[in-house]
Amino acid sequence: MSREGGLTRTPPRERIIDTARELFHKHGLRGVGVDAIAEAAGTNKMTLYRHFGSKDELIAACLTETGREYAREWDEWEAEFADDPMKLLREWIGCAVSCAIGDPRGCDIANAAVEITEADHPARKVIARVKTEHRDRLARICQAAGFRDAELLADCLTLLVEGARVSWQSVGPGGPGSRFAETAEAIIA
């Protein structure tokens, strides 16, 4: 952060990412142009393009930051529940419910995966990495909790949460996604 007239001001790159993430979350990736992002970030298109060669690179940077936030959250859970992997697994279930129901726009990473159709888009690698890391962490927790087929359980829970998010977006919190926690517990049992 830099200081301007006694006020702390966020550097342009961070402001652009923060602003773009907020706008992309609210309006979708295709629903927001670079002009709107630059204006809302208090900068101009030239500055935006100096930090990000294209809107596609900006999208990848935004999703990378989202992935970092997810990883920090996982790190905090793993530290808090280091001695109780079952409690950690249940914490993940609770968080999945609150995130999905609490935000009708859903997961930014999953939404980007649907919205970005180009195989060579720079965000595709970010999406795959973040989702794979998430699933792999879940598998390690399942293994630490003593499940015989931890990999299969992690796959089931990953598919379940992704499906529940789509259900919540499609039919609202009263649809099949509303039974996510109950279904996850049944799979675990």
Side-chain angles (χ1 to χ4, degrees):
M1 294 195 170
S2 61
R3 297 204 41 95
E4 290 181 14
L7 299 175
T8 302
R9 184 157 165 87
T10 305
R13 179 179 171 77
E14 290 176 42
R15 277 198 330 270
I16 293 167
I17 288 175
D18 291 346
T19 301
R21 287 181 66 200
E22 182 179 320
L23 292 172
F24 289 152
H25 184 76
K26 185 175 181 180
H27 303 290
L29 302 175
R30 304 289 184 216
V32 181
V34 293
D35 289 322
I37 295 167
E39 182 179 335
T43 188
N44 57 51
K45 278 178 32 176
M46 186 165 55
T47 300
L48 186 147
Y49 284 123
R50 188 171 54 240
H51 289 282
F52 309 96
S54 66
K55 181 180 174 185
D56 291 348
E57 289 180 25
L58 173 59
I59 291 168
C62 290
L63 295 176
T64 296
E65 184 55 35
T66 298
R68 285 184 187 127
E69 284 181 5
Y70 292 170
R72 285 191 293 270
E73 196 168 1
W74 275 101
D75 292 343
E76 289 172 14
W77 292 339
E78 288 175 350
E80 184 176 350
F81 302 107
D83 297 333
D84 193 345
M86 277 305 294
K87 195 166 185 178
L88 174 56
L89 189 56
R90 289 196 165 90
E91 179 72 15
W92 174 83
I93 291 169
C95 182
V97 169
S98 65
C99 287
I101 290 177
D103 186 353
R105 285 291 298 143
C107 171
D108 291 337
I109 303 289
N111 291 345
V114 171
E115 206 171 334
I116 297 170
T117 58
E118 307 87 357
D120 62 342
H121 193 289
R124 291 310 258 157
K125 288 180 183 177
V126 176
I127 293 165
R129 179 183 47 76
V130 170
K131 288 296 186 177
T132 300
E133 287 172 359
H134 185 105
R135 182 259 172 222
D136 290 349
R137 279 186 135 169
L138 194 53
R140 286 191 299 273
I141 293 165
C142 292
Q143 185 173 19
F147 288 97
R148 183 172 28 94
D149 198 342
E151 299 287 326
L152 179 61
L153 179 56
D155 288 343
C156 288
L157 292 172
T158 298
L159 291 170
L160 182 64
V161 74
E162 295 295 341
R165 283 181 175 140
V166 172
S167 172
W168 281 311
Q169 285 185 325
S170 303
V171 296
S178 67
R179 297 184 68 188
F180 169 77
E182 180 184 345
T183 307
E185 289 293 343
I187 291 171
I188 289 169

